[in-house]
Amino acid sequence: MLLAAIAATSTEVGALSSRLAKVTRVAATLSALDSAADAAVVVAWLSGELPQRQIGVGWAALRTMPAPAGLPALTVAAVDAAFSAIKGLSGPGSQAQRADRLRALFGAATAEEQQFLQRLLGGELRQGALAGVMVDAVAKAATVPVAAVRRAAMLAGELPVVAAAALTGGDLGRFTLQVGRPVGPMLAQTAVSVQDALDKLGGTAVFESKLDGARVQVHRAGDTVSIYTRSLDDVTARLPEVVAATLALPVSELIADAEAIALRPDGRPHRFQVTASRFGTRSAAGGREPLSVFFFDLLHRDGTDLLDAPMTERLAALDEVVPATQRMQRLTASDPVAAQQFLERTLAAGHEGVMAKDPDAGYAAGRRGAAWLKVKPVHTLDLVVLAVEWGSGRRTGKLSNIHLGARDPQTGGYLMLGKTFKGMTDAMLAWQTQRFTELADGPTDGYLVRVRPEQVVEIAFDGVQGSTRYPAGMTLRFARVLRYRDDKSAVEADTVDTVREHYERNG
């Protein structure tokens, strides 16, 4: 299939607001595919992902591209092969070779194809055809039940390979839980309080400490241990402490959910980036902080699958094989006072908050179901918008991604802390496009629009972490827009000192 067809689908789906319309449009494209290889690639692309994960190309390499081709000629297979070839480059001169191959690829692409490839490689392909939409589209195109596709994707750990099977008449029943093959992790929704969580879960919940570490999925088959991140990347070689802890358990086969985290001698957590640094290298280099591991769910034990077992049964099986010192702290409660006290103890210990889980629910791998709820305090800051980026997909023609600045009381200027496009409604996007066009301090037709630092925005965030990318040496984690503050002037915005207090408080 031609790349042009996929680019057109992406553009059209990005302009649609109806979920059903998105599903129908994507399904039409998938139905026209004639090979399993193309199916896997297209499903990955339209989900905003690369089958190769990363190929060493960032936004900087995408800003200057050759003139587009006049007619479409690139195929899906040819582009996928080009991505694999670019990823495979290494050694002296590889950066120049990567740039040459990238220019050659873009030179063979039409204008619409170039835009699609830029957004795909830059991680900005937000056309809405993600997760649930893609599952429904695959099921519709293959004329198989949605539940069958969802279950197969859950057990395979990735939708593209399931889509390839479904769209070519393959048996989805062959996708079963297998030790050594990661599955999509069960995800959580949000509750505003422990009382809200109890109300949503029917009055009783299993509350667990929510650590600010890195979630891992641990597999053991005999003496072989494999460890995967929540994005299903294999990080076994980087986490020898987790391997050792798993081999010490009295089991032969196991698939478990756990959290890996760097702790201080007093048991309080290091900042998140200390833990994260262990995931950014190919080996566990000397001098790095050791990691502790805390198991919190069990999906398989010695030949028995536990996916469909209720939470209480999975936890009982977990308790039989994992020592208490390596289990997540938890409390089963129906009393909101007891649950609140558990939350407060967890926060006092330096952790993020708590998880509230339905004791009767099975493990809905790969889904953000209502059976797991996260409860944690929301932090907010009033910051100043320093610049805005033009959007893509549904946000084409709108000023979307905003650059956030905190006031520096020493200079009277503003230091950038990061940027976000999250939390913006359609009405907010329309308003800020007009507002920031008025505040533009330079051209408005480029990729980035700098604005006069006058507009205050209230931002919610989960934490502050160190960053060498920004002048303040800090950035916000999971920043999202709550509202624009027209009742505040820029000089009343929060200062860098306030942000640093957040950073040090959690240090």
Side-chain angles (χ1 to χ4, degrees), residues 494-506:
D494 285 311
T495 67
V496 174
D497 295 337
T498 300
V499 179
R500 189 166 289 112
E501 288 176 7
H502 281 280
Y503 177 70
E504 294 174 350
R505 189 180 306 134
N506 296 314

Side-chain angles (χ1 to χ4, degrees), residues 45-89:
W45 286 356
L46 292 178
S47 297
E49 301 172 352
L50 291 177
Q52 298 84 357
R53 299 280 188 181
Q54 300 290 333
I55 65 170
V57 173
W59 264 114
L62 300 172
R63 292 190 175 180
T64 303
M65 286 291 122
L71 296 174
L74 287 172
T75 64
V76 169
V79 174
D80 184 55
F83 287 163
S84 294
I86 290 171
K87 180 176 182 177
L89 294 172

Side-chain angles (χ1 to χ4, degrees), residues 353-433:
V354 297
M355 298 292 297
K357 300 180 178 180
D358 184 343
D360 299 321
Y363 191 95
R367 299 189 63 192
R368 192 175 296 280
W372 286 12
L373 303 170
K374 52 188 174 184
V375 184
K376 56 184 180 179
V378 176
H379 308 291
T380 65
L381 287 168
D382 290 331
L383 301 175
V384 176
V385 179
L386 306 179
V388 201
E389 298 172 10
W390 287 106
S392 59
R394 282 191 63 210
R395 297 188 177 191
T396 298
K398 299 288 197 310
L399 286 171
S400 175
N401 213 356
I402 58 175
H403 293 211
L404 304 169
R407 187 165 55 85
D408 183 351
Q410 302 301 317
T411 66
Y414 299 89
L415 295 179
M416 185 176 173
L417 296 167
K419 52 188 179 179
T420 187
F421 59 84
K422 298 182 182 298
M424 298 172 182
T425 64
D426 289 344
M428 189 179 292
L429 283 166
W431 178 88
Q432 70 185 39
T433 299

Side-chain angles (χ1 to χ4, degrees), residues 69-305:
L71 296 174
L74 287 172
T75 64
V76 169
V79 174
D80 184 55
F83 287 163
S84 294
I86 290 171
K87 180 176 182 177
L89 294 172
S90 62
S94 60
Q95 186 172 352
Q97 294 177 50
R98 187 176 291 113
D100 288 342
R101 294 205 182 196
L102 194 64
R103 279 193 295 269
L105 176 62
F106 272 76
T110 65
E112 186 176 29
E113 290 170 338
Q114 283 191 354
Q115 184 184 43
F116 173 78
L117 293 174
Q118 279 183 311
R119 290 188 289 130
L120 177 62
L121 292 173
E124 295 288 329
L125 194 64
R126 300 187 299 271
Q127 76 287 326
L130 302 175
V133 168
M134 287 304 300
V135 168
D136 287 359
V138 169
K140 184 178 181 68
T143 62
V144 296
V146 171
V149 175
R150 183 179 296 117
R151 174 97 180 170
M154 168 185 77
L155 297 174
E158 52 180 334
L159 179 59
V161 66
V162 171
L167 294 167
T168 55
D171 178 19
L172 296 185
R174 67 184 174 88
F175 295 102
T176 58
L177 190 64
Q178 293 183 19
V179 177
R181 185 171 70 187
V183 300
M186 184 170 177
L187 304 175
Q189 296 182 18
T190 300
V192 297
S193 64
V194 293
Q195 181 65 68
D196 181 40
L198 286 170
D199 291 344
K200 290 179 176 178
L201 296 177
T204 301
V206 177
F207 290 92
E208 292 178 346
S209 298
K210 188 178 190 310
L211 310 186
D212 192 15
R215 184 173 178 178
V216 292
Q217 188 177 116
V218 182
H219 291 238
R220 176 179 172 181
D223 293 332
T224 300
V225 173
S226 302
I227 306 168
Y228 304 92
T229 64
R230 63 181 294 156
S231 58
L232 310 186
D233 293 314
D234 189 331
V235 290
T236 308
R238 309 177 202 180
L239 307 178
E241 306 98 320
V242 180
V243 172
T246 305
L247 288 174
L249 301 178
V251 294
S252 296
E253 286 189 347
L254 168 142
I255 301 177
D257 250 338
E259 193 88 3
I261 186 170
L263 297 177
R264 300 177 185 273
D266 63 0
R268 294 180 67 84
H270 280 286
R271 292 192 177 97
F272 173 74
Q273 57 263 43
V274 176
T275 296
S277 69
R278 288 291 302 277
F279 290 76
T281 179
R282 292 291 174 185
S283 63
R288 293 183 177 272
E289 291 291 339
L291 295 181
S292 299
V293 61
F294 296 93
F295 295 88
F296 61 85
D297 212 328
L298 193 60
L299 284 62
H300 177 94
R301 188 184 82 173
D302 290 336
T304 301
D305 289 345

